Amino acid sequence: GIATHLKEAGYTHVLLHQQGLDFVLAGNEWPLRENELAILREFRTNHLRAIYNGGGAYVLYQLEGVP
Protein backbone atom coordinates (compact mmCIF):
# COMPACT_ATOMS: atom_id res chain seq x y z
CA GLY A 1 0.00 0.00 0.00
CA ILE A 2 2.85 2.43 0.70
CA ALA A 3 4.29 2.20 -2.82
CA THR A 4 0.89 2.62 -4.44
CA HIS A 5 0.10 5.64 -2.28
CA LEU A 6 3.43 7.29 -3.11
CA LYS A 7 3.01 6.70 -6.84
CA GLU A 8 -0.55 8.02 -6.83
CA ALA A 9 0.71 11.13 -5.02
CA GLY A 10 3.23 11.69 -7.83
CA TYR A 11 6.41 10.52 -6.10
CA THR A 12 9.08 8.84 -8.21
CA HIS A 13 11.98 8.64 -5.73
CA VAL A 14 12.63 8.08 -2.03
CA LEU A 15 15.63 9.47 -0.11
CA LEU A 16 16.62 7.44 2.93
CA HIS A 17 19.03 8.64 5.61
CA GLN A 18 20.74 5.26 5.91
CA GLN A 19 23.20 6.29 8.62
CA GLY A 20 20.32 7.56 10.74
CA LEU A 21 18.39 4.32 10.29
CA ASP A 22 21.47 2.26 11.11
CA PHE A 23 22.08 4.35 14.25
CA VAL A 24 18.51 3.87 15.44
CA LEU A 25 18.58 0.13 14.77
CA ALA A 26 21.91 -0.26 16.61
CA GLY A 27 20.42 1.17 19.81
CA ASN A 28 18.91 -0.89 22.57
CA GLU A 29 15.48 0.70 22.32
CA TRP A 30 14.05 0.68 18.82
CA PRO A 31 11.40 3.23 17.99
CA LEU A 32 10.16 0.76 15.34
CA ARG A 33 8.42 -2.50 16.12
CA GLU A 34 9.41 -5.71 14.37
CA ASN A 35 6.34 -5.64 12.12
CA GLU A 36 7.20 -2.08 11.05
CA LEU A 37 10.75 -3.16 10.22
CA ALA A 38 9.33 -6.05 8.18
CA ILE A 39 7.17 -3.58 6.23
CA LEU A 40 10.21 -1.38 5.57
CA ARG A 41 12.26 -4.40 4.39
CA GLU A 42 9.45 -5.53 2.07
CA PHE A 43 9.03 -2.00 0.69
CA ARG A 44 12.75 -1.64 0.00
CA THR A 45 13.04 -5.13 -1.51
CA ASN A 46 9.98 -5.03 -3.76
CA HIS A 47 9.50 -1.38 -4.65
CA LEU A 48 12.79 0.51 -4.44
CA ARG A 49 15.89 0.39 -6.63
CA ALA A 50 18.97 2.18 -5.32
CA ILE A 51 20.27 4.65 -7.88
CA TYR A 52 22.66 6.70 -5.73
CA ASN A 53 24.59 5.97 -2.56
CA GLY A 54 25.99 9.11 -0.94
CA GLY A 55 28.86 7.40 0.85
CA GLY A 56 26.48 5.43 3.06
CA ALA A 57 24.90 8.51 4.61
CA TYR A 58 21.98 8.80 2.20
CA VAL A 59 20.62 6.41 -0.41
CA LEU A 60 18.39 7.63 -3.23
CA TYR A 61 15.91 5.05 -4.49
CA GLN A 62 13.71 5.02 -7.57
CA LEU A 63 10.15 3.88 -6.88
CA GLU A 64 9.39 0.75 -8.94
CA GLY A 65 7.13 -2.26 -9.07
CA VAL A 66 3.87 -0.32 -8.84
CA PRO A 67 1.28 -0.75 -11.59
Side-chain angles (χ1 to χ4, degrees), residues 10-38:
Y11 291 94
T12 58
H13 295 78
V14 173
L15 182 65
L16 176 67
H17 185 215
Q18 186 63 52
Q19 281 183 337
L21 179 61
D22 293 343
F23 175 79
V24 168
L25 296 178
N28 292 331
E29 295 185 29
W30 295 4
L32 300 173
R33 294 176 293 216
E34 188 56 41
N35 67 322
E36 294 167 328
L37 292 172

Side-chain angles (χ1 to χ4, degrees), residues 2-65:
I2 296 169
T4 300
H5 177 75
L6 290 174
K7 182 174 181 181
E8 288 174 354
Y11 291 94
T12 58
H13 295 78
V14 173
L15 182 65
L16 176 67
H17 185 215
Q18 186 63 52
Q19 281 183 337
L21 179 61
D22 293 343
F23 175 79
V24 168
L25 296 178
N28 292 331
E29 295 185 29
W30 295 4
L32 300 173
R33 294 176 293 216
E34 188 56 41
N35 67 322
E36 294 167 328
L37 292 172
I39 291 168
L40 177 60
R41 282 191 294 272
E42 186 274 334
F43 177 59
R44 288 172 72 178
T45 300
N46 296 323
H47 299 290
L48 299 178
R49 180 175 56 91
I51 59 172
Y52 176 77
N53 184 330
Y58 289 92
V59 180
L60 179 63
Y61 293 94
Q62 184 170 339
L63 185 60
E64 296 185 334

